Amino acid sequence: MDEEMPVDVHNAAQLVVTVDFDAEELWLAEDPENARRPGVLSQARYGVQVAVPALLAMFRELDVPATFFVCGGDAERHPHAVDAIAAGGFEIGHHGFSHRSPHTMTAEQEEAEIVDGLTALHRHTDRVAGYRSPSWDFGSSTLGLLQRHGFAYSSNMMDAVHPYRHAEHDLVELPVHWLLDDAPHFWFDTSSWDKTIRSAGEVAAIWREEAAAIWDLGGLVTLTMHPQIIGRPSRLRMLREFLTWARGRSGLALSTAGDLAASLR
Ligand code: ZN
């Protein structure tokens, strides 16, 4: 793992809204047997068919810039959805080709994932500047591979609340945290029947508490969501209220991840 010391480069309250467009690739990486489970995969279809259009409409209505990190395999499976994201003026970033974690691969396999993902995404956008790995997981070669393939930023690390430049790689980091992700609070599958699904109201309270504290420090909130998770009706309602609340905070800047990273290079 990268042991370089981060260097803070930015001090201003910021909100970056990110959506990890995980469809079938997520479930196939969890278990290849899921290819034969239409019920499991229907959750992915919900994300593509119901949640993505709802999110795009909400972001447009509230004038919220957003970045969608897309698996290359899902882009090939759902080209019209990725076209709709690009046509809406939203940023498209890299989220692997499959949804397998980089630490499970050799450097050669990981590079192939990066190259294949770029090829798939370049059918929809000219520039892919950002990388978010599946599950925010890195291998020992990841930062070097990102630099080699011309990425401008990573949004994967949990070692800061301010954006920073990686000391030994020409990359900006836009830090994340599980607190500000929808999956830890809402994720459910049949391997974990003992897990309680949180209510949207509970998660709204967690997000607001953490976001307000980060902004008081002049830091960055990188909100991270997944269409098939945040796209349930009660959660979309909560998201709308959260974004409206954030929009009302004076001095808060909103941008895509790519625009923020470009301003820091
Ligand atoms: Zn993902």
Side-chain angles (χ1 to χ4, degrees):
M1 184 50 76
D2 177 39
E3 292 180 359
E4 58 194 355
M5 289 295 294
V7 182
D8 281 357
V9 292
H10 200 59
N11 195 40
Q14 296 268 359
L15 172 61
V16 165
V17 173
T18 70
V19 179
D20 293 357
F21 180 98
D22 291 329
E24 284 83 352
E25 292 297 337
L26 171 72
W27 295 106
L28 298 174
E30 292 279 311
D31 182 356
E33 281 292 302
N34 283 333
R36 299 190 295 112
R37 293 182 182 134
V40 169
L41 295 181
S42 71
Q43 298 169 91
R45 279 201 307 286
Y46 181 88
V48 175
Q49 295 172 0
V50 180
V52 168
L55 289 169
L56 293 177
M58 185 192 301
F59 295 158
R60 267 195 302 269
E61 183 189 331
L62 299 179
D63 192 23
V64 169
T67 298
F68 287 73
F69 294 99
V70 182
C71 286
D74 284 327
E76 291 188 347
R77 205 175 275 112
H78 304 290
H80 300 303
V82 184
D83 279 341
I85 293 166
F90 299 99
E91 181 191 8
I92 293 175
H94 197 302
H95 194 47
F97 184 83
S98 71
H99 201 270
R100 290 180 301 145
S101 292
H103 87 276
T104 65
M105 303 177 205
T106 65
E108 291 73 24
Q109 289 170 327
E110 190 180 354
E111 186 160 32
E113 285 266 325
I114 287 173
V115 170
D116 291 347
L118 284 171
T119 301
L121 298 182
H122 281 149
R123 296 187 189 113
H124 304 277
T125 182
D126 293 336
R127 173 90 174 113
V128 178
Y131 178 75
R132 167 164 296 154
S133 73
S135 308
W136 291 328
D137 205 3
F138 266 29
S140 54
S141 313
T142 307
L143 283 172
L145 288 170
L146 297 182
Q147 183 172 300
R148 183 187 306 168
H149 288 279
F151 286 89
Y153 73 92
S154 148
S155 182
N156 299 284
M157 293 294 168
M158 305 193 198
D159 48 5
V161 294
H162 297 88
Y164 63 86
R165 269 177 202 280
H166 285 273
E168 293 167 16
H169 295 88
D170 185 20
L171 289 161
V172 169
E173 182 67 38
L174 304 180
V176 295
H177 195 270
W178 294 115
L179 260 178
L180 294 163
D181 185 319
D182 58 357
H185 309 299
F186 293 132
W187 174 269
F188 184 82
D189 66 45
T190 53
S191 68
S192 55
W193 283 106
D194 57 341
K195 184 175 187 291
T196 302
I197 300 177
R198 298 291 163 198
S199 72
E202 286 175 279
V203 178
I206 291 169
W207 283 2
R208 288 192 191 205
E209 208 169 61
E210 178 72 356
I214 289 175
W215 291 330
D216 284 349
L217 295 171
L220 165 67
V221 168
T222 308
L223 192 63
T224 301
M225 300 173 289
H226 305 77
Q228 59 186 289
I229 298 174
I230 198 68
R232 301 308 307 179
S234 61
R235 299 171 189 167
L236 286 174
R237 185 179 290 176
M238 179 274 275
L239 175 61
R240 173 181 291 275
E241 290 168 1
F242 177 86
L243 293 174
T244 303
W245 168 77
R247 266 260 170 252
R249 184 184 169 103
S250 70
L252 178 69
L254 281 80
S255 67
T256 64
D259 284 347
L260 176 57
S263 75
L264 304 178
R265 287 175 67 82

